[in-house]
Each structure stands twice: as structure tokens, then as C-alpha cells.
Amino acid sequence: MIRSVAGALALLALCCMAVPAGARPVSVGECAACHGEDGIARDVEVPHLAGQNERYLYNQMLAFRSGKRPHKEMRVMSRQMTNEEMAALAAYYAALPPR
Ligand code: HEC
């Protein structure tokens, strides 16, 4: 867990130019460690993202970053993201088939 977060931070620091709409955002690889490659989480502590409402996903990421929705890991993840990346990630996961 700690290693994946550290790796995520390292990668997010390297990547992260604006992602074209509809494309698979680079940072998805980092989310996959917890939320699954297909947006279906394997861990009962982690929510599925696939097929979730796009606006909801975007708002949750903003809330994690602002601290309005408190959560240690997602706070760390969301701090590395621009609004554009959050929007791209929300669109990406919303388009995946739900379980
Ligand atoms: C280290 C594990 C981990 C990583 C990596 C991670 N998440 Fe999360 N994420 C979680 C957990 C755990 C929750 C549930 C938070 C809670 O209980 O409030 C969550 C919640 C969320 C939610 C809210 C879902 C809902 O149904 O309310 C979104 C959106 C989200 N994550 C997006 C992402 C994105 C996008 C990435 C990649 C940039 C990412 N997460 C990376 C663990 C992780």
C-alpha cells in the first residue's frame, strides 16, 4: 500500500500534462492499484469507479483535495491532480462498464 502510493506520487510528478478528452489518462495506472484496471476494486475497502456518474466522481476528487471529504490516501492522490486530470479521470471511469 505504502509502496503503491509512493510510486504513484513519483509517476504523477513525471506525467500530468493535460489529457485529451476520451483518452485513457496516464494516471489511471496509479488508480488501478486500488480501484482496479477496469474500475472494479478488488478490495472491499475501496469503491468501484466504473460506470459511476461522471460529475459525482469529479466532485469527490475535488472534495478529497480540499479535505471536505476526509480520506488519507485519496487526499494524497488528489493533491497531485489538476482539475483537468480529475475531469479526464472522471470521464474515463464513468465510461467503463459497471459490474
Ligand atoms: C492507495 C489506494 C488508492 C489509490 C492509489 C487511489 N484510490 Fe481512490 N479511493 C481509495 C479508497 C480507499 C477510497 C474510499 C474513500 C472513502 O472511504 O471515503 C477511494 C475513493 C475514491 C473516489 C470516490 C468514489 C466514491 O464512490 O465515492 C474516487 C472518485 C477515487 N477514489 C478516484 C481515484 C482516482 C482517480 C485515483 C487515481 C488518480 C485513485 N482514486 C487512486 C483508494 C485509492
PDB file of all heavy atoms in Angstrom, residues 1 4-5 8 11-12 24-43 46-47 49 74 77 89 92-93 96:
ATOM      1  N   MET A   1       0.842  -1.201   0.000  1.00  0.00           N
ATOM      2  CA  MET A   1       0.000   0.000   0.000  1.00  0.00           C
ATOM      3  C   MET A   1       0.876   1.250   0.000  1.00  0.00           C
ATOM      4  O   MET A   1       0.770   2.095  -0.855  1.00  0.00           O
ATOM      5  CB  MET A   1      -0.895  -0.014   1.237  1.00  0.00           C
ATOM      6  CG  MET A   1      -2.115   0.867   1.143  1.00  0.00           C
ATOM      7  SD  MET A   1      -3.270   0.404  -0.176  1.00  0.00           S
ATOM      8  CE  MET A   1      -4.752   0.179   0.773  1.00  0.00           C
ATOM      9  N   SER A   4       2.767   1.519  -3.222  1.00  0.00           N
ATOM     10  CA  SER A   4       1.999   1.953  -4.391  1.00  0.00           C
ATOM     11  C   SER A   4       1.720   3.451  -4.332  1.00  0.00           C
ATOM     12  O   SER A   4       1.717   4.122  -5.344  1.00  0.00           O
ATOM     13  CB  SER A   4       0.713   1.147  -4.520  1.00  0.00           C
ATOM     14  OG  SER A   4      -0.185   1.490  -3.510  1.00  0.00           O
ATOM     15  N   VAL A   5       1.539   3.984  -3.154  1.00  0.00           N
ATOM     16  CA  VAL A   5       1.304   5.425  -3.047  1.00  0.00           C
ATOM     17  C   VAL A   5       2.569   6.187  -3.405  1.00  0.00           C
ATOM     18  O   VAL A   5       2.543   7.146  -4.171  1.00  0.00           O
ATOM     19  CB  VAL A   5       0.817   5.814  -1.633  1.00  0.00           C
ATOM     20  CG1 VAL A   5       0.766   7.328  -1.485  1.00  0.00           C
ATOM     21  CG2 VAL A   5      -0.549   5.210  -1.368  1.00  0.00           C
ATOM     22  N   ALA A   8       2.997   6.049  -6.999  1.00  0.00           N
ATOM     23  CA  ALA A   8       2.001   6.913  -7.635  1.00  0.00           C
ATOM     24  C   ALA A   8       2.479   8.357  -7.624  1.00  0.00           C
ATOM     25  O   ALA A   8       2.386   9.056  -8.626  1.00  0.00           O
ATOM     26  CB  ALA A   8       0.670   6.795  -6.891  1.00  0.00           C
ATOM     27  N   LEU A  11       5.315   8.871 -10.148  1.00  0.00           N
ATOM     28  CA  LEU A  11       4.830   8.876 -11.528  1.00  0.00           C
ATOM     29  C   LEU A  11       4.005  10.109 -11.823  1.00  0.00           C
ATOM     30  O   LEU A  11       4.151  10.732 -12.875  1.00  0.00           O
ATOM     31  CB  LEU A  11       3.968   7.639 -11.778  1.00  0.00           C
ATOM     32  CG  LEU A  11       4.680   6.463 -12.423  1.00  0.00           C
ATOM     33  CD1 LEU A  11       3.679   5.346 -12.677  1.00  0.00           C
ATOM     34  CD2 LEU A  11       5.329   6.883 -13.744  1.00  0.00           C
ATOM     35  N   LEU A  12       3.151  10.478 -10.876  1.00  0.00           N
ATOM     36  CA  LEU A  12       2.289  11.628 -11.105  1.00  0.00           C
ATOM     37  C   LEU A  12       3.123  12.898 -11.251  1.00  0.00           C
ATOM     38  O   LEU A  12       2.756  13.805 -11.977  1.00  0.00           O
ATOM     39  CB  LEU A  12       1.283  11.769  -9.967  1.00  0.00           C
ATOM     40  CG  LEU A  12       0.087  10.821 -10.070  1.00  0.00           C
ATOM     41  CD1 LEU A  12      -0.691  10.816  -8.779  1.00  0.00           C
ATOM     42  CD2 LEU A  12      -0.815  11.187 -11.232  1.00  0.00           C
ATOM     43  N   ARG A  24      -7.278   7.495 -22.452  1.00  0.00           N
ATOM     44  CA  ARG A  24      -7.035   6.898 -21.160  1.00  0.00           C
ATOM     45  C   ARG A  24      -5.997   7.755 -20.451  1.00  0.00           C
ATOM     46  O   ARG A  24      -4.849   7.824 -20.880  1.00  0.00           O
ATOM     47  CB  ARG A  24      -6.505   5.485 -21.373  1.00  0.00           C
ATOM     48  CG  ARG A  24      -6.282   4.705 -20.105  1.00  0.00           C
ATOM     49  CD  ARG A  24      -5.680   3.348 -20.482  1.00  0.00           C
ATOM     50  NE  ARG A  24      -5.679   2.415 -19.383  1.00  0.00           N
ATOM     51  CZ  ARG A  24      -4.727   2.340 -18.464  1.00  0.00           C
ATOM     52  NH1 ARG A  24      -3.715   3.182 -18.515  1.00  0.00           N
ATOM     53  NH2 ARG A  24      -4.798   1.442 -17.506  1.00  0.00           N
ATOM     54  N   PRO A  25      -6.388   8.436 -19.370  1.00  0.00           N
ATOM     55  CA  PRO A  25      -5.426   9.298 -18.690  1.00  0.00           C
ATOM     56  C   PRO A  25      -4.257   8.483 -18.147  1.00  0.00           C
ATOM     57  O   PRO A  25      -4.448   7.363 -17.681  1.00  0.00           O
ATOM     58  CB  PRO A  25      -6.238   9.922 -17.556  1.00  0.00           C
ATOM     59  CG  PRO A  25      -7.679   9.705 -17.927  1.00  0.00           C
ATOM     60  CD  PRO A  25      -7.712   8.466 -18.746  1.00  0.00           C
ATOM     61  N   VAL A  26      -3.064   9.031 -18.207  1.00  0.00           N
ATOM     62  CA  VAL A  26      -1.853   8.335 -17.775  1.00  0.00           C
ATOM     63  C   VAL A  26      -1.967   7.878 -16.329  1.00  0.00           C
ATOM     64  O   VAL A  26      -1.553   6.773 -15.974  1.00  0.00           O
ATOM     65  CB  VAL A  26      -0.624   9.270 -17.889  1.00  0.00           C
ATOM     66  CG1 VAL A  26       0.650   8.502 -17.597  1.00  0.00           C
ATOM     67  CG2 VAL A  26      -0.561   9.904 -19.263  1.00  0.00           C
ATOM     68  N   SER A  27      -2.555   8.716 -15.500  1.00  0.00           N
ATOM     69  CA  SER A  27      -2.613   8.419 -14.077  1.00  0.00           C
ATOM     70  C   SER A  27      -3.543   7.254 -13.730  1.00  0.00           C
ATOM     71  O   SER A  27      -3.537   6.776 -12.603  1.00  0.00           O
ATOM     72  CB  SER A  27      -3.022   9.667 -13.304  1.00  0.00           C
ATOM     73  OG  SER A  27      -3.954  10.413 -14.033  1.00  0.00           O
ATOM     74  N   VAL A  28      -4.319   6.767 -14.711  1.00  0.00           N
ATOM     75  CA  VAL A  28      -5.195   5.620 -14.445  1.00  0.00           C
ATOM     76  C   VAL A  28      -4.387   4.440 -13.912  1.00  0.00           C
ATOM     77  O   VAL A  28      -4.845   3.700 -13.041  1.00  0.00           O
ATOM     78  CB  VAL A  28      -5.972   5.208 -15.723  1.00  0.00           C
ATOM     79  CG1 VAL A  28      -6.579   3.821 -15.588  1.00  0.00           C
ATOM     80  CG2 VAL A  28      -7.061   6.224 -16.005  1.00  0.00           C
ATOM     81  N   GLY A  29      -3.164   4.283 -14.422  1.00  0.00           N
ATOM     82  CA  GLY A  29      -2.307   3.186 -13.966  1.00  0.00           C
ATOM     83  C   GLY A  29      -2.084   3.237 -12.467  1.00  0.00           C
ATOM     84  O   GLY A  29      -1.962   2.201 -11.808  1.00  0.00           O
ATOM     85  N   GLU A  30      -2.054   4.437 -11.921  1.00  0.00           N
ATOM     86  CA  GLU A  30      -1.837   4.605 -10.483  1.00  0.00           C
ATOM     87  C   GLU A  30      -3.115   4.332  -9.688  1.00  0.00           C
ATOM     88  O   GLU A  30      -3.068   3.803  -8.591  1.00  0.00           O
ATOM     89  CB  GLU A  30      -1.366   6.031 -10.200  1.00  0.00           C
ATOM     90  CG  GLU A  30      -0.069   6.362 -10.889  1.00  0.00           C
ATOM     91  CD  GLU A  30       0.970   5.281 -10.659  1.00  0.00           C
ATOM     92  OE1 GLU A  30       1.146   4.858  -9.504  1.00  0.00           O
ATOM     93  OE2 GLU A  30       1.585   4.846 -11.647  1.00  0.00           O
ATOM     94  N   CYS A  31      -4.228   4.678 -10.229  1.00  0.00           N
ATOM     95  CA  CYS A  31      -5.511   4.437  -9.570  1.00  0.00           C
ATOM     96  C   CYS A  31      -5.803   2.937  -9.546  1.00  0.00           C
ATOM     97  O   CYS A  31      -6.452   2.433  -8.620  1.00  0.00           O
ATOM     98  CB  CYS A  31      -6.634   5.145 -10.306  1.00  0.00           C
ATOM     99  SG  CYS A  31      -6.228   6.806 -10.867  1.00  0.00           S
ATOM    100  N   ALA A  32      -5.322   2.252 -10.596  1.00  0.00           N
ATOM    101  CA  ALA A  32      -5.633   0.834 -10.768  1.00  0.00           C
ATOM    102  C   ALA A  32      -5.148  -0.010  -9.595  1.00  0.00           C
ATOM    103  O   ALA A  32      -5.775  -1.023  -9.265  1.00  0.00           O
ATOM    104  CB  ALA A  32      -5.019   0.327 -12.072  1.00  0.00           C
ATOM    105  N   ALA A  33      -4.075   0.412  -8.955  1.00  0.00           N
ATOM    106  CA  ALA A  33      -3.543  -0.341  -7.819  1.00  0.00           C
ATOM    107  C   ALA A  33      -4.634  -0.562  -6.775  1.00  0.00           C
ATOM    108  O   ALA A  33      -4.693  -1.614  -6.143  1.00  0.00           O
ATOM    109  CB  ALA A  33      -2.362   0.413  -7.209  1.00  0.00           C
ATOM    110  N   CYS A  34      -5.487   0.395  -6.609  1.00  0.00           N
ATOM    111  CA  CYS A  34      -6.556   0.278  -5.616  1.00  0.00           C
ATOM    112  C   CYS A  34      -7.927   0.079  -6.269  1.00  0.00           C
ATOM    113  O   CYS A  34      -8.731  -0.709  -5.800  1.00  0.00           O
ATOM    114  CB  CYS A  34      -6.592   1.527  -4.748  1.00  0.00           C
ATOM    115  SG  CYS A  34      -5.106   1.731  -3.747  1.00  0.00           S
ATOM    116  N   HIS A  35      -8.191   0.829  -7.332  1.00  0.00           N
ATOM    117  CA  HIS A  35      -9.544   0.807  -7.907  1.00  0.00           C
ATOM    118  C   HIS A  35      -9.707  -0.206  -9.033  1.00  0.00           C
ATOM    119  O   HIS A  35     -10.777  -0.285  -9.639  1.00  0.00           O
ATOM    120  CB  HIS A  35      -9.921   2.200  -8.418  1.00  0.00           C
ATOM    121  CG  HIS A  35     -10.110   3.202  -7.319  1.00  0.00           C
ATOM    122  ND1 HIS A  35     -11.233   3.220  -6.509  1.00  0.00           N
ATOM    123  CD2 HIS A  35      -9.309   4.188  -6.860  1.00  0.00           C
ATOM    124  CE1 HIS A  35     -11.109   4.211  -5.626  1.00  0.00           C
ATOM    125  NE2 HIS A  35      -9.956   4.807  -5.807  1.00  0.00           N
ATOM    126  N   GLY A  36      -8.649  -0.962  -9.343  1.00  0.00           N
ATOM    127  CA  GLY A  36      -8.748  -1.976 -10.397  1.00  0.00           C
ATOM    128  C   GLY A  36      -8.487  -1.389 -11.768  1.00  0.00           C
ATOM    129  O   GLY A  36      -8.823  -0.246 -12.043  1.00  0.00           O
ATOM    130  N   GLU A  37      -7.881  -2.194 -12.626  1.00  0.00           N
ATOM    131  CA  GLU A  37      -7.559  -1.785 -14.002  1.00  0.00           C
ATOM    132  C   GLU A  37      -8.848  -1.402 -14.748  1.00  0.00           C
ATOM    133  O   GLU A  37      -8.858  -0.508 -15.573  1.00  0.00           O
ATOM    134  CB  GLU A  37      -6.852  -2.956 -14.697  1.00  0.00           C
ATOM    135  CG  GLU A  37      -6.173  -2.624 -16.000  1.00  0.00           C
ATOM    136  CD  GLU A  37      -5.137  -1.506 -15.877  1.00  0.00           C
ATOM    137  OE1 GLU A  37      -4.281  -1.556 -14.972  1.00  0.00           O
ATOM    138  OE2 GLU A  37      -5.196  -0.597 -16.708  1.00  0.00           O
ATOM    139  N   ASP A  38      -9.940  -2.081 -14.434  1.00  0.00           N
ATOM    140  CA  ASP A  38     -11.219  -1.869 -15.103  1.00  0.00           C
ATOM    141  C   ASP A  38     -12.180  -1.007 -14.275  1.00  0.00           C
ATOM    142  O   ASP A  38     -13.372  -0.933 -14.549  1.00  0.00           O
ATOM    143  CB  ASP A  38     -11.864  -3.229 -15.386  1.00  0.00           C
ATOM    144  CG  ASP A  38     -11.874  -4.131 -14.146  1.00  0.00           C
ATOM    145  OD1 ASP A  38     -11.415  -3.678 -13.061  1.00  0.00           O
ATOM    146  OD2 ASP A  38     -12.338  -5.277 -14.252  1.00  0.00           O
ATOM    147  N   GLY A  39     -11.650  -0.373 -13.217  1.00  0.00           N
ATOM    148  CA  GLY A  39     -12.513   0.459 -12.376  1.00  0.00           C
ATOM    149  C   GLY A  39     -13.333  -0.329 -11.373  1.00  0.00           C
ATOM    150  O   GLY A  39     -14.189   0.223 -10.687  1.00  0.00           O
ATOM    151  N   ILE A  40     -13.087  -1.649 -11.323  1.00  0.00           N
ATOM    152  CA  ILE A  40     -13.759  -2.518 -10.356  1.00  0.00           C
ATOM    153  C   ILE A  40     -12.731  -2.875  -9.283  1.00  0.00           C
ATOM    154  O   ILE A  40     -11.760  -3.566  -9.566  1.00  0.00           O
ATOM    155  CB  ILE A  40     -14.285  -3.822 -11.023  1.00  0.00           C
ATOM    156  CG1 ILE A  40     -15.151  -3.518 -12.256  1.00  0.00           C
ATOM    157  CG2 ILE A  40     -15.024  -4.684 -10.001  1.00  0.00           C
ATOM    158  CD1 ILE A  40     -16.459  -2.794 -11.981  1.00  0.00           C
ATOM    159  N   ALA A  41     -12.951  -2.390  -8.073  1.00  0.00           N
ATOM    160  CA  ALA A  41     -11.989  -2.604  -6.998  1.00  0.00           C
ATOM    161  C   ALA A  41     -12.030  -4.054  -6.516  1.00  0.00           C
ATOM    162  O   ALA A  41     -13.088  -4.680  -6.487  1.00  0.00           O
ATOM    163  CB  ALA A  41     -12.296  -1.658  -5.849  1.00  0.00           C
ATOM    164  N   ARG A  42     -10.868  -4.588  -6.182  1.00  0.00           N
ATOM    165  CA  ARG A  42     -10.776  -5.962  -5.667  1.00  0.00           C
ATOM    166  C   ARG A  42     -10.839  -5.999  -4.147  1.00  0.00           C
ATOM    167  O   ARG A  42     -11.011  -7.041  -3.555  1.00  0.00           O
ATOM    168  CB  ARG A  42      -9.471  -6.617  -6.140  1.00  0.00           C
ATOM    169  CG  ARG A  42      -9.554  -7.363  -7.476  1.00  0.00           C
ATOM    170  CD  ARG A  42     -10.227  -6.562  -8.540  1.00  0.00           C
ATOM    171  NE  ARG A  42     -10.319  -7.242  -9.843  1.00  0.00           N
ATOM    172  CZ  ARG A  42     -10.778  -6.658 -10.939  1.00  0.00           C
ATOM    173  NH1 ARG A  42     -11.182  -5.401 -10.908  1.00  0.00           N
ATOM    174  NH2 ARG A  42     -10.858  -7.323 -12.064  1.00  0.00           N
ATOM    175  N   ASP A  43     -10.660  -4.853  -3.533  1.00  0.00           N
ATOM    176  CA  ASP A  43     -10.611  -4.758  -2.078  1.00  0.00           C
ATOM    177  C   ASP A  43     -11.955  -4.219  -1.586  1.00  0.00           C
ATOM    178  O   ASP A  43     -12.485  -3.251  -2.149  1.00  0.00           O
ATOM    179  CB  ASP A  43      -9.480  -3.787  -1.706  1.00  0.00           C
ATOM    180  CG  ASP A  43      -9.180  -3.775  -0.219  1.00  0.00           C
ATOM    181  OD1 ASP A  43     -10.140  -3.685   0.599  1.00  0.00           O
ATOM    182  OD2 ASP A  43      -7.989  -3.837   0.138  1.00  0.00           O
ATOM    183  N   VAL A  46     -12.416  -0.441  -0.904  1.00  0.00           N
ATOM    184  CA  VAL A  46     -12.245   0.522  -1.989  1.00  0.00           C
ATOM    185  C   VAL A  46     -13.483   0.508  -2.894  1.00  0.00           C
ATOM    186  O   VAL A  46     -13.932  -0.552  -3.314  1.00  0.00           O
ATOM    187  CB  VAL A  46     -10.982   0.175  -2.815  1.00  0.00           C
ATOM    188  CG1 VAL A  46     -10.746   1.214  -3.900  1.00  0.00           C
ATOM    189  CG2 VAL A  46      -9.755   0.072  -1.905  1.00  0.00           C
ATOM    190  N   PRO A  47     -14.037   1.667  -3.202  1.00  0.00           N
ATOM    191  CA  PRO A  47     -15.241   1.705  -4.058  1.00  0.00           C
ATOM    192  C   PRO A  47     -14.920   1.452  -5.535  1.00  0.00           C
ATOM    193  O   PRO A  47     -13.842   1.787  -6.003  1.00  0.00           O
ATOM    194  CB  PRO A  47     -15.766   3.132  -3.861  1.00  0.00           C
ATOM    195  CG  PRO A  47     -14.582   3.936  -3.432  1.00  0.00           C
ATOM    196  CD  PRO A  47     -13.652   3.006  -2.699  1.00  0.00           C
ATOM    197  N   LEU A  49     -15.266   2.394  -9.379  1.00  0.00           N
ATOM    198  CA  LEU A  49     -15.446   3.675 -10.067  1.00  0.00           C
ATOM    199  C   LEU A  49     -16.143   3.497 -11.412  1.00  0.00           C
ATOM    200  O   LEU A  49     -16.755   4.426 -11.927  1.00  0.00           O
ATOM    201  CB  LEU A  49     -14.089   4.357 -10.280  1.00  0.00           C
ATOM    202  CG  LEU A  49     -13.258   4.655  -9.021  1.00  0.00           C
ATOM    203  CD1 LEU A  49     -11.949   5.333  -9.407  1.00  0.00           C
ATOM    204  CD2 LEU A  49     -14.026   5.499  -8.017  1.00  0.00           C
ATOM    205  N   MET A  74      -6.758   9.065  -0.539  1.00  0.00           N
ATOM    206  CA  MET A  74      -7.301   9.851  -1.645  1.00  0.00           C
ATOM    207  C   MET A  74      -6.896  11.318  -1.557  1.00  0.00           C
ATOM    208  O   MET A  74      -6.801  11.999  -2.562  1.00  0.00           O
ATOM    209  CB  MET A  74      -8.829   9.704  -1.721  1.00  0.00           C
ATOM    210  CG  MET A  74      -9.280   8.387  -2.311  1.00  0.00           C
ATOM    211  SD  MET A  74      -8.434   7.954  -3.861  1.00  0.00           S
ATOM    212  CE  MET A  74      -8.809   9.383  -4.859  1.00  0.00           C
ATOM    213  N   MET A  77      -3.551  11.265  -3.223  1.00  0.00           N
ATOM    214  CA  MET A  77      -3.707  11.116  -4.671  1.00  0.00           C
ATOM    215  C   MET A  77      -4.236  12.401  -5.301  1.00  0.00           C
ATOM    216  O   MET A  77      -3.722  12.869  -6.309  1.00  0.00           O
ATOM    217  CB  MET A  77      -4.696   9.982  -4.993  1.00  0.00           C
ATOM    218  CG  MET A  77      -4.230   8.583  -4.637  1.00  0.00           C
ATOM    219  SD  MET A  77      -2.642   8.108  -5.361  1.00  0.00           S
ATOM    220  CE  MET A  77      -3.017   8.094  -7.106  1.00  0.00           C
ATOM    221  N   LEU A  89     -10.162  11.818 -15.678  1.00  0.00           N
ATOM    222  CA  LEU A  89     -10.325  10.553 -14.949  1.00  0.00           C
ATOM    223  C   LEU A  89     -11.801  10.254 -14.705  1.00  0.00           C
ATOM    224  O   LEU A  89     -12.244   9.112 -14.849  1.00  0.00           O
ATOM    225  CB  LEU A  89      -9.570  10.623 -13.617  1.00  0.00           C
ATOM    226  CG  LEU A  89      -8.045  10.499 -13.751  1.00  0.00           C
ATOM    227  CD1 LEU A  89      -7.347  11.037 -12.516  1.00  0.00           C
ATOM    228  CD2 LEU A  89      -7.642   9.057 -14.014  1.00  0.00           C
ATOM    229  N   TYR A  92     -13.270   9.074 -17.912  1.00  0.00           N
ATOM    230  CA  TYR A  92     -12.767   7.741 -18.242  1.00  0.00           C
ATOM    231  C   TYR A  92     -13.511   6.662 -17.444  1.00  0.00           C
ATOM    232  O   TYR A  92     -14.014   5.691 -18.010  1.00  0.00           O
ATOM    233  CB  TYR A  92     -11.265   7.681 -17.949  1.00  0.00           C
ATOM    234  CG  TYR A  92     -10.687   6.307 -18.133  1.00  0.00           C
ATOM    235  CD1 TYR A  92     -10.409   5.812 -19.408  1.00  0.00           C
ATOM    236  CD2 TYR A  92     -10.422   5.484 -17.030  1.00  0.00           C
ATOM    237  CE1 TYR A  92      -9.899   4.541 -19.585  1.00  0.00           C
ATOM    238  CE2 TYR A  92      -9.905   4.211 -17.207  1.00  0.00           C
ATOM    239  CZ  TYR A  92      -9.645   3.741 -18.478  1.00  0.00           C
ATOM    240  OH  TYR A  92      -9.138   2.478 -18.644  1.00  0.00           O
ATOM    241  N   TYR A  93     -13.581   6.840 -16.139  1.00  0.00           N
ATOM    242  CA  TYR A  93     -14.219   5.811 -15.303  1.00  0.00           C
ATOM    243  C   TYR A  93     -15.734   5.749 -15.527  1.00  0.00           C
ATOM    244  O   TYR A  93     -16.320   4.667 -15.494  1.00  0.00           O
ATOM    245  CB  TYR A  93     -13.906   6.049 -13.827  1.00  0.00           C
ATOM    246  CG  TYR A  93     -12.519   5.573 -13.443  1.00  0.00           C
ATOM    247  CD1 TYR A  93     -11.535   6.447 -13.025  1.00  0.00           C
ATOM    248  CD2 TYR A  93     -12.200   4.217 -13.526  1.00  0.00           C
ATOM    249  CE1 TYR A  93     -10.265   6.001 -12.694  1.00  0.00           C
ATOM    250  CE2 TYR A  93     -10.936   3.752 -13.192  1.00  0.00           C
ATOM    251  CZ  TYR A  93      -9.970   4.647 -12.784  1.00  0.00           C
ATOM    252  OH  TYR A  93      -8.723   4.195 -12.461  1.00  0.00           O
ATOM    253  N   LEU A  96     -16.612   3.408 -18.359  1.00  0.00           N
ATOM    254  CA  LEU A  96     -16.350   1.965 -18.240  1.00  0.00           C
ATOM    255  C   LEU A  96     -17.626   1.230 -17.823  1.00  0.00           C
ATOM    256  O   LEU A  96     -18.456   1.777 -17.112  1.00  0.00           O
ATOM    257  CB  LEU A  96     -15.260   1.701 -17.185  1.00  0.00           C
ATOM    258  CG  LEU A  96     -13.842   2.171 -17.511  1.00  0.00           C
ATOM    259  CD1 LEU A  96     -12.913   1.852 -16.340  1.00  0.00           C
ATOM    260  CD2 LEU A  96     -13.319   1.528 -18.791  1.00  0.00           C
TER     261      LEU A  96
END
